[in-house]
Amino acid sequence: MALRLDGIAVAASIKADLKSRVAKLAERGVHPGLGTLLVGDDPASSRYVAGKHRDCEEVGIRSLRRNLPADADADRIKTEVLAFNEDPACTGFIVQLPLPDGVDANAIIDCIDPAKDADGMHPYNLGELVLHPKGELRTPMPCTPRGVIELLRSYDIDLAGRRVCVLGRGITIGRTVGLMLTRNDVNATVTLCHTGTADMQRHLREAEVIIAATGRAGIVTAEDVAPDAVLVDVGVSRVKDPVSGKWRIVGDVDPAARAKAFAYTPNPGGVGPMTRAMLLKNVVEIAERSNT
């Protein structure tokens, strides 16, 4: 039976450790604070931001919320970003995406102080990740790739020298996870597949680890998976159940593929909780680095 990599349980352990670290910071008069900027009232974004603040409460991180209406223009959004940059109570913050049509998300992210970039997605911090493959990084790291690696490590899955196939070239995971997987402390060999890849199934079958992040339900089938591969399912799709008529969340990996795997992440309940835990970890680490 394949090993189920329980992101909920591992995230809970990480948050317990963070709660202890936050308490130690508080003894020194340091109080980490996570800021969120939400533009509009998209239900999924609203739920996601609310979950982040519940996580903050759980570990003792202060919550700072800024909400703007859906018709807020780029200048108004930038004003709020700059306010977070200057707010001493804010250790790190995120701008919840997507932003309204017509607003350049990259231009908004560029305005974030890299030292307060809780998502680890500012161009400066991504550049640090590119330039420093060795040693300790002292800048925030992308949450989802970091969550993937920490989840695998928590189950003693060593990636050194392993052939890893990444599906999808989005910035949130596809392009950034390769940077982290090829750091010296991980040392994996990475193949990045996308819509222009010829014979993608061959790359999948040759992989010892598959990280799927396309948002295409069930794109990784049992026929695509080598025996005893590790399957990391990051994709999120909403599909309608043909029997109940209700919508449900599914991943990129067909559940039938799990039978051939050595280990797999459930979806939901795998990478998602780890991403949220890494956001908190970034905030706590920023506070620790700033007060050493």
Side-chain angles (χ1 to χ4, degrees), residues 132-282:
H132 302 292
K134 300 179 182 179
E136 180 186 2
L137 280 173
R138 294 187 58 81
T139 49
M141 287 182 273
C143 295
T144 302
R146 189 179 189 186
V148 167
I149 292 170
E150 293 213 11
L151 179 58
L152 295 175
R153 281 176 170 164
S154 72
Y155 283 91
D156 296 322
I157 296 175
D158 186 4
L159 295 175
R162 304 285 291 274
R163 298 186 302 275
V164 180
C165 183
V166 178
L167 295 186
R169 53 184 166 187
I171 189 65
T172 302
I173 175 74
R175 281 183 282 168
T176 47
V177 74
L179 295 173
M180 296 195 66
L181 288 168
T182 51
R183 286 181 55 77
N184 284 39
D185 62 341
V186 181
N187 239 19
T189 299
V190 179
T191 299
L192 175 62
C193 293
H194 46 77
T195 53
T197 302
D199 197 3
M200 182 179 71
Q201 282 67 33
R202 175 177 64 83
H203 293 292
L204 290 171
R205 289 191 296 268
E206 292 175 351
E208 297 170 276
V209 180
I210 295 172
I211 301 175
T214 68
R216 296 175 62 187
I219 189 174
V220 179
T221 67
E223 291 74 22
D224 299 328
V225 175
D228 292 329
V230 176
L231 306 178
V232 179
D233 192 351
V234 189
V236 176
S237 301
R238 293 178 71 247
V239 299
K240 198 171 187 178
D241 189 287
V243 177
S244 68
K246 295 182 179 179
W247 293 93
R248 58 189 177 90
I249 298 296
V250 298
D252 284 2
V253 178
D254 188 324
R258 299 172 182 172
K260 294 177 68 177
F262 166 74
Y264 71 92
T265 64
N267 194 338
V271 176
M274 293 298 297
T275 298
R276 283 169 50 177
M278 293 303 102
L279 180 72
L280 301 179
K281 194 166 187 175
N282 274 345

Side-chain angles (χ1 to χ4, degrees), residues 6-14 155 269:
D6 189 343
I8 295 174
V10 175
S13 176
I14 290 169
Y155 283 91

